[in-house]
Amino acid sequence: MSQAFLRIFLLSLFFVYTTSQRSDWKSEEWCIADEQTPNEELQKALDWTCGKGGADCSKIQAHQPCFLPNTLKDHASYAFNDYYQKFKHKGATCYFNSAAMITNLDPSHNSCKFEYFP
């Protein structure tokens, strides 16, 4: 075996070993409203999230970056994600009485940025 081949082989083994040891790695995930949730349930969850839940819902107010599209589902998705990202490290879940779900697809659109905190 040549020295170059041996170096590449050993570096490859090292890379595989070190990346396989990272058990803390997770893919990015956002919390969004479940499209199958009735509007009444979404509204209750949104009210709680923006109130007692402590989410910052200022960006879904009129003339703000996440106001459009002006739908309950879109506003709830933004609020649910804001809450989830802020509090997931303290044990918060993306549940909201079955009104929400996790996605690996970034729901950001136009000037509306959905936060993600690792």
Side-chain angles (χ1 to χ4, degrees), residues 2-110:
S2 74
Q3 286 254 250
F5 176 79
L6 186 57
R7 283 184 187 153
I8 292 172
F9 177 73
L10 290 174
L11 281 173
S12 298
L13 281 177
F14 177 75
F15 176 78
V16 169
Y17 174 77
T18 56
T19 57
S20 69
Q21 297 303 308
R22 291 196 59 203
S23 60
D24 61 332
W25 183 85
K26 286 186 175 184
S27 64
E28 294 178 346
E29 52 185 35
W30 293 265
C31 181
I32 59 170
D34 186 334
E35 293 184 14
Q36 298 177 27
T37 304
N39 281 347
E40 183 178 304
E41 286 299 314
L42 273 182
Q43 188 64 59
K44 284 181 195 175
L46 177 61
D47 291 344
W48 181 86
T49 306
C50 292
K52 290 183 182 180
D56 178 4
C57 296
S58 62
K59 291 185 181 174
I60 56 175
Q61 302 303 311
H63 310 294
Q64 295 302 310
C66 297
F67 179 71
L68 296 175
N70 183 13
T71 68
L72 181 57
K73 182 184 113 5
D74 287 288
H75 289 181
S77 289
Y78 183 85
F80 293 169
N81 188 67
D82 186 83
Y83 170 86
Y84 178 66
Q85 298 299 332
K86 283 182 179 175
F87 302 113
K88 66 184 175 184
H89 296 296
K90 295 180 181 180
T93 63
C94 176
Y95 182 67
F96 302 98
N97 202 25
S98 294
M101 58 188 252
I102 293 289
T103 183
N104 296 104
L105 300 175
D106 185 350
S108 300
H109 55 279
N110 301 325

